[in-house]
Amino acid sequence: MAHIKNVGEAVARIAYIASDVIVSVQPALGLDSDFSPHLHAFATKKAPGLVGKQTPEVQAIRHNVDPLLSAFHPLRSGKLVSITTPSSILLSSVPHLYKLAQYPIVIHVSLHPLHHPDYSEITSIRQSGFIFLHSETLQEGLDIALSAHALAIKSGKGVIHFFDPENSRDDDPIPLEDRGLVKSVLDLEAARAYQPSISGGAFLYVDDGKQATVTQTNFPTPDDNSTSPRVRASPVQPPAKGGKGDESSVASSVRASSTDSRSTISSATSINSTTTRPLNSEDIRDFLTAIWAQISSATGRTYHVFEYSGPSDAESALFIFGSTGIFVDEIRAANPSDEFAKCGIITARLYRPWLAAQMIEEVPRSVKRIAVLEQIHRKTTKWGPVLLDILTSLKKGLPSTSTPLIVGYQLGYIEPATVRQALRGIFQNLRSPSPVQNLEVGSHQPPRKSLSGYSLEQPKIEGAYMKILDQIFGERLHIANRLNAANAGISATLAATPEYGFGSLLARIDRRKHFIREVQAAAMSQDFATNIPNSWLSKWAVGAEDAKDINIVSTEVIARLSTDGSRLADQLLSSKSLFFKASQWLIGSDAWAYDLGNSGVHHVIASGANVNMLIIDSQPWSERAAADAVRRKKDIGLYAMNFGNAYVASVAVYSSYTQVLEAMIEADQFEGPSVIVAYLPYNKENDSPLTVLQETKKAVDLGYWPLYRWNPHNEDSGEPNFSLDSERIKQELEEFLRRDNHLTQLIRKHPEFSSNLAGSYGTELRALQKRKAKDAYDKLLESLYGAMVTILFASDNGNAESLAKRLGSRGRARGLKTMVIAMDDFPFEDLPGEENVVLITSTAGQGEFPQNGRSFWDAIKDNTDLDLSHVSFTVFALGDSHYWPRKEDKIFYNKPGKDLDSKMVFLGGNRLTDIGLGDDQDPDGYQTGYGEWEPRLWQALGVDKVAGLPEEPPPITNEDIKIESNYLRGTIAEGLEDSTTGAISASDQQLTKFHGTYMQDDRDLRDDRKAQGLEPAYSFMIRCRLSGGVATPSQWLQMDAVSNSYGNETMKLTTRQTFQFHGVVKTKLKSAMRAINQALMTTIAACGDVNRNVMCSILPTKSAFHRDVHQASAKISDHLLPSTTAYHEIWLKDDTDKKTQVAGNAIVDHEPLYGPTYLPRKFKITVAIPPHNDTDVYAHDVGLIAIKGDTDRLEGFNVLVGGGMGVTHNNKKTYPRTGSMMGYVSVDQVHVACEKIMLVQRDNGDRKNRKHARLKYTIDDMGVDVFRGKVEELLGYKFEDPRPFEFKSNIDTFGWQKDEFGVNHFTFFIENGRVEDTADFPMKTGLREIAKVHRGEFRLTGNQHLCLSGVHDDDLEKIKAMMKQYKLDNLQFSGLRLSSSACVAFPTCGLAMAESERYLPELIGKLDTCLEENGLRQDSIVMRMTGCPNGCARPWVAEVAFVGKAYGAYNMYLGGGYHGQRLNKLYRSSIQEEEILSIMKPLLKRYALERQDGERFGDFTIRIGMIKRTTEGKTFHDDVAEAESDDEA
């Protein structure tokens, strides 16, 4: 059953179903508030509301754009509106609150900052006319939210419902709202009577005089001729109906509704009279009392205007206006001897209107002293507002002899551990003869994490304009209100305002003027060590205000002063930034365009100071936005132009990059204020460039966002002040120009354009202006750069992108202006306007374009209209000439690049140089071909002989990332907090592997999301560390809960005996990690360049021996665990950051085994117990074969080293390998032996080439004997001779088995390890229910299956019944299916080239009939499939394996050993299903007919000559059945 888990969800649910429009105020459009995720979830599902016929509309509004303005339009249109918001907006919205209070609007306020909210934001607006309701717990949040909406409808007044979300954070979940009760309480009839009404007057700044009133109907009562009043709120009065009596005890009831229980009075015998009067507090009380009576009748939960809890004879009480949770719990747990025992607690449920009589009624007469605790950060008066309310109430309502003593306290932040101490202090002061007033309780400074609510951040998408500023002005750029700048004592919000920034700039201007005078005096001084600085300072002082030359001189001056060494030189250098003539800017958003933020803009413009403003407008063009005139968003461009003293430009980087450059340069050169309004429309801060481009084109094309420049100084030189850079202008701008007579001036100066100018400013003039601008820009660039080169890339694995970026950097170093961008992010229609284009692409699938190049190719491949005759181009392609070995498939080699080259020529393009082809088969891979192609490109561009090129930094490697990570910390913590994206940085993606998690994205959705302009659907895979694969039932239940709460509701049992979760989004990642830790499990070192999860055979038939072996594997795992505390710091710290929750101990940040760079690559250890090689002991870095002693208990291990599975397709330098025998070690020394093997690999493994870094290559490079010698040297003794052993299979034994103690074990078949529920098979539910009653263990197998271990006979029948109920006892599968295994692959694995887990069952299904026909159904044939050659399902030791090469295409391997002891070999390359079946079906029939007794399938394929035996890893690529052809088609 679904439940509500937090108060934000509770309130959001009520707001959604009780409103027509919900304004969701958020810190940013891409950053959630307490309410927004729930509101958007409802909106996405188009969930129905209750009060309107239409689906409720959710409007997301940023908190800093005057959000309450959005409520007026729907309110005046007769819609019921609610607002969900943090408290941070309230004070700045006071002018709106007074007007909104007269409408039936509900504002739900989540008090901030978190952990210690400021209630003064409520008291400061208490006189705004709103009704204020307060809730404290989760259940109260739901009920009071409902009460607020019902009260607004009934009274016609605005209601503010406020609460502290942290106060209820630990509350138990509550059931969903009862919709029947909600309908009854809301009085839908009254709501619908309000909705058709439309308020007159649409002027926001004119008070329409609206006032909430009630209509009082007087009618005779049944028993006499007197009249009884009936009160209704006028704004929501329904159509008149027959009167109804009221049997409630409330004097003035709420309106009639279908749920009211009232006696009927005949209207024919009554004479009614009505009067209308303003709503008063008694009416509000009566409405609210009736609402709460309905709730109480249905639920038993009661609410009062004031709530008192405590003894009826209490002598002392606390009146708390703040977060009550910490006090309630402590007082309830008080000892009789405590000072605060037997005290009462009073809170205000209805804060405004303040009903004094209700408070007096609620407080016991025995109370003699009341402590008033007000949680107010900003105290502006001596006496707190709540204290004055209480004091006034008691003084007026009680005799002076009965009035309790009132003592005020200011409630600060109190640590949970100090609540008792705080209460003692409160009551000691309260009960003293002369109590101190206004005593502060707790800390005045809240915890650092609570100091601010939502921090201001510049959306990354706005970086386009910042990059242009940096590009143009470089070191001259000075942004006065830069976010995150160090401004002592100034909040980030204040520091970002135009007022603050302007003041800062004025101060800087004054400082520089003073500095110039200092320099002038210094130039005449004799205090320098030499005379050299004097001449340079004199030269500087002459041109100090000349931005063009002074910055060059400044560099020389600073150099001379730096070598002088005198005291005067040091004094000047302390202000060396002032030597430069800075380009001074204020950066803002369209929040400055609303009236509440516009005054700072006014000050800057009106001052006439030489200050530049860049104001980024992010509101997308839309019909709704265009029609919402009541928001009163000012056109800052027009506003500034009306002053007549400012340079003004309207620009859009996604429409005209050139115009943006021109405007910024002109603004900097303009003496006086400059305003550039820059368009960058997005719906969310993480919108894609494609979305921004589409919105920009629409807005510019329709005239919503005209591009223009206005320079009032141009008049002095006879040039027009106004330059139109786009085709259309909006009406307001045209009216301004007409009024200012500039249109007439333009016509007079350019009569040849008069006919066009009089209409729409003319195509001819526009073209002329654009040509002039382009010519001027070209001249500007000629002095700054060489040729313009646009580099477009298409890349799947990052190689093509890296090449493109490196080429761009090298081009800039040679003086070229380069732009590097993905093909799909480049508007293809702009291609004809480019000068030089370089296209770099890799090859995907069967000669397909990579994901980020497909749309570009689709757009041009059939296009015949593009004219590229003025475009010079070249192509570099990356591919593998052996990837498709058959001659007929050679066309796929570098096909995308070749196709691009041909198409560009077809469209008229001119080759700069011939296409370059990078081939992975070359000695240096694709770099060989690239090294030949790049010099030809520089020669074609005329920059091949540039001298003094800077050295390129080496590429960042995994080793660099590890050593710079501070023991695996990196910037993971910061990346998790970044809500602008679902991803983390590339380096952190490498580091999180050590923590047990990989970043992935849903590849099923990748194309669709890209088409919609969305980033990939990023999520994370989490892998647990579970030594030996043994879990308790409680751990199984916890893992099940983790998958449901944080993942995609499935679990993956991996080939390394552990749990894996997929689909965990970044916001849930830390919670998931903590939940795993709560099960006393961890994820550290489940991935990464460390020793990973240690595997162990499950051996259900020998429990004692298994216990010995499992303990040894656990000892090895613990011994080789990394020591860094980064894992605990990042994932497991509690909310106070004071202590660390750990399942295990991490004491010091030191890696005695690994060192700061850990291992060269992953390191895997497994333990097998003969005769079962169910963990593939030969396929791991270290394989331990358990040896049983004479007592049938564990004696020691044979040690294998150098196994490994990872391979790269067609790279013969990479290969799988089976382990080599080292010898025997005793059980007490095995963990030490594993350590020494790992240390030799640590010190000798290849750290330069990760494809050659595994232990298998180290051993082959060194030789087995040399490697053994190094290990024995560290051990101090030699390995003993290996003990005899025998393996019989590497698969699991399914079904029931008994051990030596008579205890039962059952091994389930979990196909490919995926634990999930389907309509046909409720596997996950069944295992969950079994875990609730099971008293043994769950053992995960290395083949992705599950053993229910330790079922005693008295539980057996119950377990069997449950297995049957959930179909878990079904083992009626073919031997091939039972012996199969597959990795995850699509949709989540980023390395997958083809399907695996989702396809293998389907393929086996198509072979099952053949097996049945040939009598092979019961025969075990080990078949494995992986989506890539990395080998997670260990395909290279399977009898038959399919390894993905492209989507739908696989390499087929045959000849592996049934015991996992022998590698297989390539039989066919890149075959699809049809060919797979055509090979397998005849082969299976032949096997059935020709096999020898006991002959396994892998052995059979070798004996009949289908495949050659692989004797060792180094011969894996030799003698393959399908020879690769080197000639190219």
Side-chain angles (χ1 to χ4, degrees), residues 1049-1107:
E1049 300 186 1
T1050 73
M1051 287 191 292
K1052 176 78 171 178
L1053 308 184
T1054 76
T1055 54
R1056 294 198 54 74
Q1057 286 186 299
T1058 189
F1059 298 97
Q1060 196 162 285
F1061 307 101
H1062 293 271
V1064 181
V1065 297
K1066 187 170 75 172
T1067 54
K1068 295 183 178 181
L1069 190 56
K1070 184 177 287 189
S1071 298
M1073 292 289 204
R1074 290 183 175 187
I1076 291 169
N1077 183 256
Q1078 288 169 5
L1080 300 181
M1081 293 169 62
T1082 184
T1083 67
I1084 189 171
C1087 322
D1089 299 341
V1090 288
N1091 176 56
R1092 299 190 178 184
N1093 195 51
V1094 177
M1095 299 174 64
C1096 175
S1097 293
I1098 63 167
L1099 195 64
T1101 57
K1102 299 289 183 181
S1103 290
F1105 191 48
H1106 174 266
R1107 189 179 308 114

Side-chain angles (χ1 to χ4, degrees), residues 25 206 272 359 391 468 483 580 616 732 935 976 1285 1370 1463 1489 1494:
V25 182
V206 177
N272 300 341
M359 191 195 77
L391 195 59
I468 297 174
L483 291 177
F580 297 94
I616 300 173
E732 296 93 332
L976 293 173
F1285 65 93
N1370 182 17
L1463 297 171
L1489 296 173

Side-chain angles (χ1 to χ4, degrees), residues 60-77:
I61 303 292
R62 283 178 292 151
H63 73 112
N64 60 344
V65 295
D66 213 359
L68 296 197
L69 282 171
S70 295
F72 283 95
H73 185 64
L75 278 171
R76 287 171 171 167
S77 300

Side-chain angles (χ1 to χ4, degrees), residues 78 125 413 464 719 756 828 865 1213 1265 1347 1383 1462 1488:
I125 61 171
Y413 174 73
E719 295 292 326
N756 296 320
F828 79 93
D865 297 328
K1213 295 178 181 178
D1265 292 337
C1347 179
C1383 69
R1462 182 180 63 241

